[in-house]
Amino acid sequence: MRLSRYLLPVSRETPAGAEIVSHQLMLRAGLIRQTAAGIYAWLPLGLRVLDRIASIVRREQDRAGALEMLMPTIQPADLWRQSGRYDAYGPEMLRIGDRHGREMLYGPTNEEMVTAIFRDCVRSYRDLPRILYHIQWKFRDEVRPRFGVMRGREFLMKDAYSFDMDMDGGRASYDAMFTAYLKTFAALGLRAVPVRAPSGPIGGDLSHEFHILADTGESEIFYDAALDDIDLRDAAAPERLRTLYAMEAEEHAKVANCPVPPDRLARRRGIEVGHIFFFGTKYSAAMGLEVQAADGGMVTPLMGSYGIGVSRLAGAIIEASHDEAGIIWPESVAPFDLGLVNLRPDDPACAEACAGLEDRLEAQGRTVLHDDREARGGEKFATMDLIGLPWVVTVGPRGLATGTVELKRRSTGERHELSMESLLARFGGVASGTAA
Ligand code: ATP
Ligand code: MG
């Protein structure tokens, strides 16, 4: 992609009203634009990131056996009257009337809708267990939308719903999602800590929030410092994380005898990026979902719901990964794999070399943002640092004379010269994974 044909409104100024660094950087790097309080348009560069986050979330849901579907954003109020939540939900719900005066709403979540769909499609125990999910926009009229996409009013969420015949099955579905969440956040380049959350009427330990530890987080977390030493990619990590102590401040305050000795009790702020919750028959019973069991009797399935804040994650990743100069995208979600800076677009040899590199890298499955604009080198480097592509290749007449280009790694700043052939070899087949 040539930058001269792209839409990338970058800015040096710190935008007014953007309090935290991720919000400032998302605006400055031309990822998003606000269109109303808590509502954002995703510009081309931002959409690429959002799509990559969503596709990692999708991949891990699929691997866990969940089935993707797509439910609409607009829902009839009647559905919510069946569960009894229509009046209870309060002013966070955006209520809409259609031309016939029917009451509708912009969905803040989908428990009612998915329960009604499952009720209408499924009759027998043979159709269970199932986990259904979708990645869809939600609307919640937050009292205080802030921090950009971190607490928006319109935001993208992955929400999954499990249906099981009995408690053993329910626990297995919950565990599958717990593990899928750890894999998802690790693949996004994040360290997410599962925090015990209030579990509602059923009790037990089947409610967790996943938090990214960051000073700008809205929640305060108390946890066993032994957590910091766990390798989240380790197969044994889920079990260890389930047993180690981690709670939000409000819940921690209710604990009479904290099992963690004071010198091992860590206290950090966290950004909630996911929440998993098992609630049994709360919606299935209220909405008349029943299936026939093997013995012929009728059973009310047990359910859980499992959310991930897909758009919030874009901000959370930046909170966790940036420096003075800008964003540092993990390779798994970067909007382009490489930046390509032409120092002298007016020099035909440079222009030709850059066009050739762009083509060949893309033929090898790499995405490239090629800065072919007539602008000063310093400005181009500053833009690349700001938008945070993992690698930047610089092409200038001096290097070209000896057939070399410069490769810089954004995360460490380390740079070295190499031939064009070794550059292409290094960023060879995508299937083999990321470049060293
Ligand atoms: P919070 O306590 O942050 O308001 P919640 O408990 O209301 O979150 P859930 O209903 O569990 O959130 O939604 C699932 C996920 O959706 C959350 O873990 C979070 O990552 C994301 N999310 C919730 N509200 C917002 C919002 N206003 N803007 C962006 N993402 C959100
Ligand atoms: Mg909320």
Side-chain angles (χ1 to χ4, degrees), residues 292-362:
Q292 191 158 43
D295 65 7
M298 297 307 283
V299 168
T300 303
L302 303 173
M303 295 175 58
S305 76
Y306 313 90
I308 291 184
V310 175
S311 49
R312 177 178 286 184
L313 272 166
I317 292 170
I318 297 174
E319 285 299 322
S321 184
H322 66 270
D323 64 13
E324 293 287 288
I327 302 167
I328 304 173
W329 289 116
E331 299 207 15
S332 57
V333 298
F336 291 91
D337 299 324
L338 299 108
L340 175 59
V341 170
N342 183 350
L343 285 177
R344 290 281 307 277
D346 57 332
D347 175 326
C350 287
E352 192 187 325
C354 285
L357 274 179
E358 181 186 349
D359 284 351
R360 291 178 65 185
L361 285 164
E362 289 193 337

Side-chain angles (χ1 to χ4, degrees), residues 140 142 149-152 155 157 272-275 307 309 312:
R140 293 182 187 174
E142 300 275 355
V149 300
M150 295 263 245
R151 185 165 296 283
F155 59 97
M157 193 202 287
E272 182 193 321
V273 288
H275 187 188
R312 177 178 286 184

Side-chain angles (χ1 to χ4, degrees), residues 235-427:
E239 205 34 58
R240 286 275 287 144
L241 289 166
R242 281 289 277 277
T243 47
L244 279 181
Y245 187 87
M247 293 230 185
E248 257 196 89
E250 211 178 301
E251 294 306 304
H252 174 72
K254 295 183 202 154
V255 176
N257 291 305
C258 177
V260 187
D263 61 328
R264 228 176 62 208
L265 189 67
R267 174 183 177 171
R268 295 274 318 263
R269 299 202 70 83
I271 302 168
E272 182 193 321
V273 288
H275 187 188
I276 60 178
F277 187 48
F278 192 78
F279 44 71
T281 57
K282 181 172 176 198
Y283 297 94
S284 44
M287 299 184 68
L289 162 61
E290 278 189 326
V291 298
Q292 191 158 43
D295 65 7
M298 297 307 283
V299 168
T300 303
L302 303 173
M303 295 175 58
S305 76
Y306 313 90
I308 291 184
V310 175
S311 49
R312 177 178 286 184
L313 272 166
I317 292 170
I318 297 174
E319 285 299 322
S321 184
H322 66 270
D323 64 13
E324 293 287 288
I327 302 167
I328 304 173
W329 289 116
E331 299 207 15
S332 57
V333 298
F336 291 91
D337 299 324
L338 299 108
L340 175 59
V341 170
N342 183 350
L343 285 177
R344 290 281 307 277
D346 57 332
D347 175 326
C350 287
E352 192 187 325
C354 285
L357 274 179
E358 181 186 349
D359 284 351
R360 291 178 65 185
L361 285 164
E362 289 193 337
Q364 293 180 176
R366 300 292 171 169
T367 50
V368 181
L369 185 62
H370 170 185
D371 193 346
D372 60 336
R373 298 169 308 161
E374 297 287 348
R376 284 182 305 105
E379 188 186 326
K380 296 186 174 189
F381 294 135
T383 297
M384 285 298 172
D385 280 345
L386 176 62
I387 68 174
L389 305 183
W391 301 93
V392 176
V393 180
T394 303
V395 176
R398 207 166 344 129
L400 271 194
T402 57
T404 63
V405 298
E406 187 198 76
L407 176 65
K408 177 183 155 189
R409 184 181 206 144
R410 175 68 180 88
S411 58
T412 58
E414 86 198 67
R415 53 182 89 210
H416 64 272
E417 306 226 320
L418 73 180
S419 72
M420 287 203 254
E421 288 317 311
S422 24
L423 178 82
L424 288 165
R426 182 165 189 168
F427 292 95

